[in-house]
Amino acid sequence: RIALGRTGGSLPTRPLLEFQLAHAQAKDAVLKPLDLEMLSQQLQQQQITFVQVSSCALDKDTYLKRPDLGRELSEASRQILKTITMQSETGQQPYDVLIVAGDGLSARAIEDNAVSLIAKLQAACVQQGWTVAPVVIATGSRVALGDEIAQILQAKMLVMLIGERPGLSSPDSMGIYYTWQAQKGCHDAMRNCISNV
């Protein structure tokens, strides 16, 4: 936002209003909760098996003030994932790919983009002959939340879809972080990222 002109000592009306709109959209993106019901319906329509989990940041205020809690699975979610692992242990090799979709800082990004990408990504993985874990939908999530999920589900490759921090031009941008042999305690240098999806 440079060279926007001026009216006296101020910005012209149009750039000022555009800035205020972009700022409001960014705030709305951060504060909006993930519409789990809508996302569940879309995944079911695509016949995609999924499970819902949450971090220890159980509300948006906690999520914003305590990033560490967004990196940790709630105990109830941990037990759900362990149950899935036990049920699939009968001859099941570790999954090749796990896809986690987390609300992050823009639930809107996940609502708008995740399901169609998941469907295409799963189809591509199956075509390669890779085994795909049930999709995990995570609320209150930071990127590192996927590491523990991958560790519990014994997935070789983690693909974490997450709503990115909204800028003043992209309130609905999704990031894709992929990590080989992810486990709790991974650091960011172990991840690759595709941003602004």
Side-chain angles (χ1 to χ4, degrees):
R1 293 174 186 272
I2 58 172
L4 299 178
R6 67 180 185 182
T7 302
S10 303
L11 282 174
T13 301
R14 182 179 299 279
L16 178 62
L17 292 176
E18 288 171 348
F19 172 82
Q20 290 175 337
L21 174 62
H23 187 251
Q25 288 173 329
K27 284 176 65 176
D28 286 349
V30 169
L31 297 175
K32 181 185 184 305
L34 186 63
D35 188 341
L36 289 169
E37 186 177 337
M38 181 199 72
L39 205 58
S40 299
Q41 289 172 356
Q42 291 178 348
L43 290 165
Q44 287 167 357
Q45 286 169 359
Q46 296 281 341
Q47 298 181 334
I48 295 171
T49 304
F50 67 97
V51 62
Q52 294 176 10
V53 300
S54 62
S55 73
C56 290
L58 298 179
D59 59 68
K60 192 61 80 167
D61 192 52
T62 304
Y63 174 81
L64 293 171
K65 292 178 181 175
R66 293 284 310 272
D68 58 312
L69 295 180
R71 298 182 186 106
E72 178 112 7
L73 275 171
S74 69
E75 186 55 39
S77 297
R78 194 174 286 122
Q79 293 308 316
I80 289 169
L81 295 173
K82 286 180 178 177
T83 300
I84 291 171
T85 304
M86 287 187 291
Q87 289 172 348
S88 65
E89 275 181 349
T90 53
Q92 171 72 42
Q93 296 298 312
Y95 293 109
D96 291 315
V97 180
L98 163 66
I99 302 169
V100 178
D103 50 2
L105 287 163
S106 175
R108 179 178 158 191
I110 295 302
E111 292 170 2
D112 291 352
N113 303 302
V115 174
S116 59
L117 181 62
I118 289 168
K120 290 181 173 93
L121 187 56
Q122 276 195 333
C125 290
V126 170
Q127 191 173 29
Q128 291 291 325
W130 299 336
T131 56
V132 183
V135 170
V136 177
I137 305 300
T139 55
S141 61
R142 301 281 176 172
V143 172
L145 187 69
D147 298 339
E148 186 177 4
I149 297 170
Q151 182 176 349
I152 293 170
L153 293 181
Q154 301 174 36
K156 296 176 187 174
M157 172 61 76
L158 165 65
V159 180
M160 180 78 177
L161 314 178
I162 194 161
E164 292 186 314
R165 179 183 297 111
L168 292 178
S169 61
S170 57
D172 57 352
S173 180
M174 182 174 70
I176 304 173
Y177 291 82
Y178 52 104
T179 311
W180 178 252
Q181 295 182 335
Q183 56 185 320
K184 196 170 178 183
C186 280
H187 48 82
D188 288 341
M190 300 171 73
R191 311 182 204 289
N192 286 291
C193 177
I194 300 171
S195 190
N196 296 309
V197 177

